[in-house]
Amino acid sequence: MKNIVVLVSGGGTNLQALIDAEQKEGLGGGKITCVISSNPDAYALTRAADNGIKTKVLVRKDYPDVAAYSKAMTEALKEEKADLVVYAGFMTILDEQVCNAFKHKMINVHPSLIPSFCGKGYYGLRVHEEALKKGVKVTGATVHFVTAECDGGPIILQKAVEVKSGDTPEILQKRVMEQAEWKILPEAARLFCEDRIEVSGNIAVVKRQQAETVTKAMM
Ligand code: GAR
């Protein structure tokens, strides 16, 4: 069994999608063992508690700088024996010491089709505001490995979502969450826990299921 630690900062709808997936279809043998929030008031903490999941709070302003905060986070993740770390709407910057300690073991969901509308300053609603300003007709979500480069790590899964006329950032955000994020984030966690993601340089490849496993699943 792989221990999954989920990092959150806000409402936690992506955390909820992971919890629901674990309860319904399973996460490839992975189990959400701890939720760590950068925000003591995050509703995501209530979602975790309601599902009997251990929680921790690490607030950025309790630490003098990013390095000290990142050190505390690395220690917390090691203490929890994290096999997979999932950023699910986690909005606090961590430095490369965390990425190095958990190389190719941390994944992030981002609400656009990377490399569009990503990088420093692109988070939450802001991403959808920029997509609408540009007039794109298709947007979506991406799950990628976390590296020191913001939103620059190997891409695992992407899903496209249509932009409709009359969309507001809020309407578009909801559609992207429902049609893309809440599907591809649990799927990527499952693939990771099944050891089906290979990384070569900056390219992630999802390995096909063994023929035997596919046959069993169909029976
Ligand atoms: C989600 O849309 C997630 O993709 C985004 O914040 C929202 C969090 O919602 N993350 C980023 O923008 C990271 N760059 P949630 O707390 O309800 O899961």
Side-chain angles (χ1 to χ4, degrees):
M1 187 201 78
K2 286 190 167 67
N3 294 331
I4 303 175
V5 176
V6 185
L7 307 187
V8 296
S9 300
T13 62
N14 278 289
L15 168 66
Q16 191 65 55
L18 288 163
I19 293 171
D20 292 347
E22 184 186 328
Q23 289 171 0
K24 287 182 197 140
E25 308 92 38
L27 290 174
K31 185 173 164 50
I32 305 168
T33 49
C34 184
V35 169
I36 304 180
S37 177
S38 61
N39 167 12
D41 302 319
Y43 185 66
L45 289 169
T46 306
R47 295 181 192 270
D50 285 351
N51 287 277
I53 302 166
K54 176 177 174 182
T55 59
K56 284 184 175 177
V57 176
L58 282 183
V59 180
R60 169 67 182 83
K61 66 173 169 40
D62 291 345
Y63 298 84
D65 49 32
V66 176
Y69 185 74
S70 300
K71 186 166 180 277
M73 182 61 81
T74 307
E75 280 163 10
L77 293 172
K78 285 186 176 164
E79 212 173 271
E80 292 306 320
K81 299 187 170 40
D83 297 302
L84 171 65
V85 180
V86 181
Y87 284 44
F90 182 67
M91 302 297 188
T92 308
I93 288 171
L94 297 171
D95 71 10
E96 69 278 1
Q97 63 179 302
V98 190
C99 305
N100 293 341
F102 290 89
K103 191 173 178 205
H104 297 156
K105 290 182 176 173
M106 300 205 290
I107 63 174
N108 175 48
V109 62
H110 182 79
S112 75
L113 293 174
I114 289 175
S116 290
F117 312 113
C118 65
K120 207 163 175 270
Y122 285 93
Y123 57 86
L125 211 52
R126 170 87 213 287
V127 178
H128 305 291
E129 283 165 5
E130 292 302 315
L132 290 176
K133 247 192 238 170
K134 187 70 188 170
V136 293
K137 306 299 179 244
V138 174
T139 183
T142 302
V143 179
H144 63 92
F145 282 109
V146 178
T147 61
E149 185 193 342
C150 183
D151 296 330
I155 291 170
I156 303 166
L157 294 176
Q158 292 188 300
K159 191 161 192 297
V161 173
E162 190 189 349
V163 179
K164 296 186 179 172
S165 78
D167 271 354
T168 62
E170 290 79 6
I171 291 171
L172 185 56
Q173 179 182 52
K174 188 161 178 280
R175 188 179 312 119
V176 169
M177 283 177 157
E178 285 172 354
Q179 294 185 7
E181 295 185 47
W182 299 344
K183 294 181 196 289
I184 63 174
L185 185 61
E187 178 61 15
R190 188 176 301 122
L191 290 168
F192 180 93
C193 292
E194 289 173 348
D195 295 318
R196 287 177 54 202
I197 310 174
E198 262 172 15
V199 185
S200 167
N202 203 39
I203 303 293
V205 176
V206 175
K207 288 189 280 180
R208 287 165 57 111
Q209 262 177 313
Q210 300 288 320
E212 197 191 335
T213 325
V214 174
T215 317
K216 263 191 209 155
M218 285 164 63
M219 279 162 53

